[in-house]
Amino acid sequence: MMTKLSADGFIREPEPKQPGFAFFNLAFRPMFLLGSAFSVVSILLWVFSFNGYFVFEPYGGSYWWHMHEMLFGFVAAIMAGFLLTAVQTWTQVPSIKGKPLMALVLLWLAGRVLMLFPDIASPVINAIVDSLFLPAAIIALAIPILKVRQWPNLVFVPVLTLMAIANIVMHIQAQTGGAIQQVAYFTVLLITLVMCILGGRVFPMFTANGTQTQRVPSIAWLELFSITSVLLCVLLATGWIPVGETITAVVFIVAGVTNFIRAFRWRIWVTFGTPLVWPLHISYWALSIGLVLVGLAQVVDIITMSQAIHTITVGAMGLMILAMVSRVSLGHTGRNIAVGAVMNFAFILLALSLLVRVLMPSLLSSHYILLMLVAGVMWAVAYTLFVIKYTAILSKPRIDGRPG
């Protein structure tokens, strides 16, 4: 199949062999598109209200809403879309689709609407509706795995269950006025653990396939230590293990350095000419650096926890998700796994957003609020380009005529 690249940088593919609407054929289609579109809306609402352009009073207040919706609105949707699609490949058992998938999407969408317009229902109803999405996704994920007794892939069920519990705790805190930072940070690190697991599974393969180079063989002890060290960070983030700031700092720094060594072995330097691969490497470097910064924030004053966490959320999550949804959407619709200049620009823009959000406030502290606006708009533009590019791809049937 010949790849045609137009002047605007979009890859032109043949039309699907069978016309039709395929939006609910597999979970990645609606969850990737709607999750990405929602991230644009939520980021813009947050940064413009933060800059004082309007008064924003969603459920839980604007600060709670921003943290909650980026984690349990945006990231949870993408994770559900990815896992509920991947489980069909892992197990060869059909995953959720059609009307059940539509119901799951509507449940997620109902949560977003109620969080944004809290006066529609009571706070308790709002919390219940929003809290049902992850359990429903967990059931849909577990059924195919249990059918074939594929126990290794069951690891994602307890992770999503912990996220579901964290979501409930955040709702309790929203209604009781409790502190929300710790549970939000715990959720960020839990998602970081998922990124570590998935990164080790697919990044070396994606690098080899995308760059036409030899795959880097894994080192068993390094793989194990990379994941277990992040798991220990997750446990420390609960606050249940009574250790001092120094020990916490050491654990996070060791986890960051270990994962940096892991990422360095994947040879980022061979990826710079491959737009769908280099963002994955940059995101994993951001993950590693973010863990180190979380550790340093425990013991030094020049690094804030906000900088450390946003290194992970913007640099690792934001860039990894944008690259993964771009790649998975192409692969699962039968298209060439390649993008043009427009999506490459989106990746660059999101990488620059990380620098503006994390690094520039230290250099231009008097312009902090403006920098937040610039970083947010850069994120919004990057994900808007994905939505524009991929709406047709995610709505139409596979171009090779296969189901999916």
Side-chain angles (χ1 to χ4, degrees):
M1 184 185 301
M2 294 295 291
T3 300
K4 296 180 180 180
L5 184 62
S6 71
D8 64 1
F10 286 160
I11 301 291
R12 300 304 185 194
E13 298 280 5
E15 286 298 309
K17 293 183 178 180
Q18 297 179 352
F21 186 68
F23 197 55
F24 295 104
N25 281 9
L26 269 176
F28 77 95
R29 292 175 176 272
M31 300 316 300
F32 285 4
L33 189 64
L34 295 178
S36 297
F38 175 71
S39 82
V40 174
V41 174
S42 60
I43 282 290
L44 291 179
L45 284 175
W46 165 246
V47 295
F48 278 102
S49 64
F50 187 72
N51 273 259
Y53 286 97
F54 55 84
V55 177
F56 183 46
E57 297 180 349
Y59 173 98
S62 60
Y63 182 60
W64 184 96
W65 182 87
H66 169 62
M67 288 195 294
H68 179 272
E69 291 299 88
M70 290 308 293
L71 294 173
F72 297 103
F74 166 56
V75 177
I78 302 301
M79 288 178 63
F82 179 84
L83 292 173
L84 292 176
T85 300
V87 73
Q88 179 168 290
T89 302
W90 298 337
T91 64
Q92 301 304 305
V93 175
S95 184
I96 185 172
K97 62 186 64 179
K99 291 181 179 178
L101 176 57
M102 186 184 301
L104 182 66
V105 172
L106 289 175
L107 180 60
W108 172 84
L109 189 60
R112 310 290 62 78
V113 172
L114 292 176
M115 295 298 99
L116 191 56
F117 303 103
D119 294 334
I120 294 177
S122 69
V124 174
I125 295 298
N126 294 345
I128 290 173
V129 171
D130 178 66
S131 298
L132 287 175
F133 170 71
L134 279 173
I138 291 167
I139 293 171
L141 175 65
I143 289 173
I145 296 174
L146 293 174
K147 279 185 178 180
V148 298
R149 300 182 179 182
Q150 200 175 77
W151 309 125
N153 286 321
L154 206 61
V155 66
F156 296 106
V157 171
V159 171
L160 290 179
T161 301
L162 288 174
M163 280 189 66
I165 294 171
N167 188 24
I168 294 171
V169 173
M170 282 202 75
H171 280 290
I172 293 173
Q173 292 171 330
Q175 298 185 32
T176 61
I180 60 177
Q181 285 87 353
Q182 186 166 5
V183 67
Y185 292 166
F186 166 79
T187 305
V188 167
L189 291 169
L190 195 60
I191 297 168
T192 301
L193 177 63
V194 174
M195 292 191 293
C196 288
I197 296 171
L198 292 177
R201 284 189 175 193
V202 302
F203 286 11
M205 176 184 66
F206 286 173
T207 301
N209 293 345
T211 63
Q212 298 299 303
T213 58
Q214 187 174 359
R215 178 172 179 170
V216 175
S218 62
I219 300 174
W221 70 264
L222 180 61
E223 296 298 301
L224 179 62
F225 195 66
S226 297
I227 294 172
T228 54
S229 62
V230 176
L231 177 59
L232 185 55
C233 292
V234 174
L235 295 176
L236 290 178
T238 65
W240 296 341
I241 302 177
V243 298
E245 293 179 343
T246 302
I247 294 177
T248 300
V250 170
V251 171
F252 274 88
I253 291 171
V254 169
V257 171
T258 302
N259 278 277
F260 180 80
I261 294 171
R262 187 191 198 198
F264 188 81
R265 292 189 67 251
W266 296 338
R267 300 171 304 152
I268 188 175
W269 52 89
V270 305
T271 70
F272 292 134
T274 311
L276 277 176
V277 181
W278 70 258
L280 297 175
H281 285 253
I282 295 294
S283 70
Y284 209 91
W285 279 44
L287 181 153
S288 306
I289 294 170
L291 290 172
V292 172
L293 292 178
V294 171
L296 292 175
Q298 308 291 323
V299 292
V300 300
D301 294 331
I302 60 173
I303 296 172
T304 68
M305 185 61 71
S306 177
Q307 287 175 306
I309 291 296
H310 280 91
T311 301
I312 297 175
T313 55
V314 179
M317 292 183 196
L319 195 53
M320 189 180 296
I321 286 173
L322 187 61
M324 286 294 288
V325 297
S326 299
R327 182 186 181 94
V328 171
S329 297
L330 294 174
H332 278 278
T333 55
R335 289 169 167 80
N336 290 312
I337 303 178
V339 295
V342 171
M343 283 309 301
N344 197 36
F345 173 70
F347 299 142
I348 294 171
L349 201 59
L350 199 53
L352 293 175
S353 176
L354 167 65
L355 297 179
V356 173
R357 177 61 185 84
V358 174
L359 179 61
M360 295 305 292
S362 296
L363 304 176
L364 300 170
S365 58
S366 61
H367 299 287
Y368 178 80
I369 295 179
L370 177 60
L371 291 171
M372 297 306 99
L373 177 62
V374 172
V377 170
M378 293 170 82
W379 172 298
V381 172
Y383 272 90
T384 297
L385 291 174
F386 169 81
V387 171
I388 293 172
K389 162 66 178 174
Y390 281 81
T391 294
I393 292 173
L394 294 170
S395 301
K396 295 179 180 180
R398 291 178 61 110
I399 62 172
D400 54 11
R402 293 170 56 192

